[in-house]
Amino acid sequence: MSVPRNLTLLVLCLCTLPLAALAGSRAQSPKFVSRSRVPRNNGGKTFTLTDKFNGQTFFDNFDFFNQTDPTHGSVNYLSKGDAQAAGLAYVQDDGTVIMKVDNTTQLSPGQFRNSIQSKNTYSSGLFIADIYSMPHGCSVWPAFWAVGGNWPEGGEIDIIENVHDATFNQMTLHTSAGCSLDNSTAAPSNMSGNYKRTEAFTSTILSTACQSSPTYNDGCAFQSTDTASYGHAFNMIAGGVYATLLSSEGVSIWNFPRTNIPSDILASQPNPSTWGTPAAFWNAQTCDTSEHFTNLQLVFDITLCGDWAGATYTSAGCPGTCAEAVADPTKFDYAHWAVNYVAVYQ
């Protein structure tokens, strides 16, 4: 969802950085390609837990963006105090962290519904998010992502993102010039149909140009082929784990359903070399991670309508208008994040 914006936020290094907005605001037609370079997934090196956000202290490490949504969503982002007072950000007795859209107040069409966006920060590493359920529904546009300063110079990794009641997750990079998704081994142009994929990733390429700007912000994107990777289907299996590895070899994203989370993740001893093919992989040979990704901040947010969900509301088969959906509180019973924890390893 990338439109440049300046945000004031508390990051874990206690500094203030400018951010960009959410990525991937234009959906594209998928195409299959073949790949020959397979990530080594950090060669089985040992990772050390540096931070874990969960339970009653989760929000101690986050600040809340409470300015106008730069992606033009129909939301009022609240401060931490206001969001907690409104019951939009809280921790359940079982330790589950809830971040939600207001689903109780009836509005008039055109009024904005309260929502929240929380932030924290990191540089490179292994980021593991255990998510019980994610937002979905007509007009809803959620994302879990990482972004650096001076967008797009610091880079952006969209780990979970889509709109409405989409089935498949979309994963996207946004960067400065000089980064692309490597499809140099794509099938010859005289071939047709769905091209065979090799073992570099399991998803479908949507776009290959990562360079982003206010006038072109598609980024280089994958669409998952897992029908339980996003939205309602993800929630019906009690969610699972998204793991993102940013290393000198590139960027890799895995998605594990609740019933198939690797034992090493459960034991807090993650070993990506044993996880098999990632859902998405951007090779550092065509996108130098040290050059394009710095001072990344982890972000959860929910917006409504806006540049992507608003533009696709009718074509997604949603009833009425996006503004009418925002006015109706019954539309947002499923518009919330339920997060078990976020862990960062180096």
Side-chain angles (χ1 to χ4, degrees):
M1 307 172 172
S2 290
V3 179
R5 67 182 177 193
N6 291 321
L7 307 183
T8 301
L9 51 125
L10 177 66
V11 297
L12 296 179
C13 60
L14 300 180
C15 55
T16 301
L17 298 174
L19 291 191
L22 310 172
S25 60
R26 299 187 185 94
Q28 300 191 17
S29 300
K31 57 180 178 290
F32 289 110
V33 300
S34 61
R35 297 289 299 273
S36 60
R37 302 185 183 97
V38 181
R40 297 190 300 277
N41 299 336
N42 217 46
K45 295 178 181 177
T46 300
F47 285 86
T48 301
L49 179 67
T50 57
D51 284 285
K52 187 172 184 178
F53 305 130
N54 63 326
Q56 296 298 327
T57 62
F58 184 89
F59 292 117
D60 292 346
N61 300 286
F62 286 72
D63 200 7
F64 288 64
F65 173 63
N66 61 348
Q67 302 174 41
T68 302
D69 180 8
T71 62
H72 309 107
S74 299
V75 291
N76 294 322
Y77 286 129
L78 303 181
S79 67
K80 179 179 179 180
D82 289 343
Q84 291 181 325
L88 303 182
Y90 60 92
V91 181
Q92 296 182 160
D93 291 341
D94 64 358
T96 306
V97 176
I98 304 298
M99 296 169 282
K100 61 179 289 186
V101 172
D102 172 12
N103 64 336
T104 60
T105 307
Q106 180 67 47
L107 304 178
S108 300
Q111 285 186 282
F112 288 176
R113 183 162 299 279
N114 289 338
S115 184
I116 68 168
Q117 180 174 327
S118 59
K119 308 268 189 289
N120 67 349
T121 188
Y122 281 106
S123 294
S124 62
L126 176 62
F127 312 101
I128 295 180
D130 186 315
I131 298 169
Y132 181 76
S133 65
M134 67 175 67
H136 68 90
C138 282
S139 80
V140 179
W141 178 6
F144 171 53
W145 49 302
V147 64
N150 191 29
W151 185 91
E153 299 298 323
E156 178 179 354
I157 305 171
D158 299 314
I159 301 165
I160 301 174
E161 186 180 23
N162 216 315
V163 293
H164 310 306
D165 282 311
T167 303
F168 302 101
N169 184 44
Q170 184 168 309
M171 299 154 285
T172 309
L173 298 189
H174 295 267
T175 70
S176 56
C179 175
S180 64
L181 198 168
D182 173 23
N183 68 342
S184 60
T185 57
S189 58
N190 61 346
M191 295 182 64
S192 61
N194 291 336
Y195 305 144
K196 181 181 179 181
R197 297 185 302 271
T198 62
E199 291 302 306
F201 50 81
T202 64
S203 297
T204 304
I205 291 179
L206 297 178
S207 52
T208 60
C210 307
Q211 181 177 352
S212 297
S213 70
T215 57
Y216 180 83
N217 57 10
D218 286 14
C220 48
F222 287 95
Q223 179 176 282
S224 176
T225 57
D226 181 354
T227 57
S229 61
Y230 183 86
H232 174 70
F234 178 89
N235 297 349
M236 290 301 292
I237 60 171
V241 161
Y242 268 89
T244 304
L245 177 61
L246 173 61
S247 74
S248 60
E249 295 185 354
V251 179
S252 303
I253 299 176
W254 292 263
N255 170 216
F256 303 108
R258 180 69 54 198
T259 57
N260 196 34
I261 299 173
S263 59
D264 55 282
I265 291 180
L266 298 175
S268 300
Q269 298 177 335
N271 182 4
S273 66
T274 67
W275 295 349
T277 307
F281 174 64
W282 294 265
N283 199 317
Q285 294 187 35
T286 56
C287 186
D288 186 337
T289 52
S290 63
E291 176 184 349
H292 291 287
F293 299 96
T294 56
N295 298 319
L296 295 178
Q297 303 160 308
L298 300 176
V299 180
F300 284 96
D301 80 277
I302 312 169
T303 192
L304 307 174
C305 301
D307 296 336
W308 187 1
T312 57
Y313 186 85
T314 300
S315 62
C318 291
T321 68
C322 210
E324 290 169 344
V326 171
D328 183 356
T330 66
K331 301 296 186 183
F332 303 107
D333 289 343
Y334 304 104
H336 63 268
W337 291 101
V339 179
N340 292 322
Y341 70 81
V342 175
V344 180
Y345 294 83
Q346 296 293 337

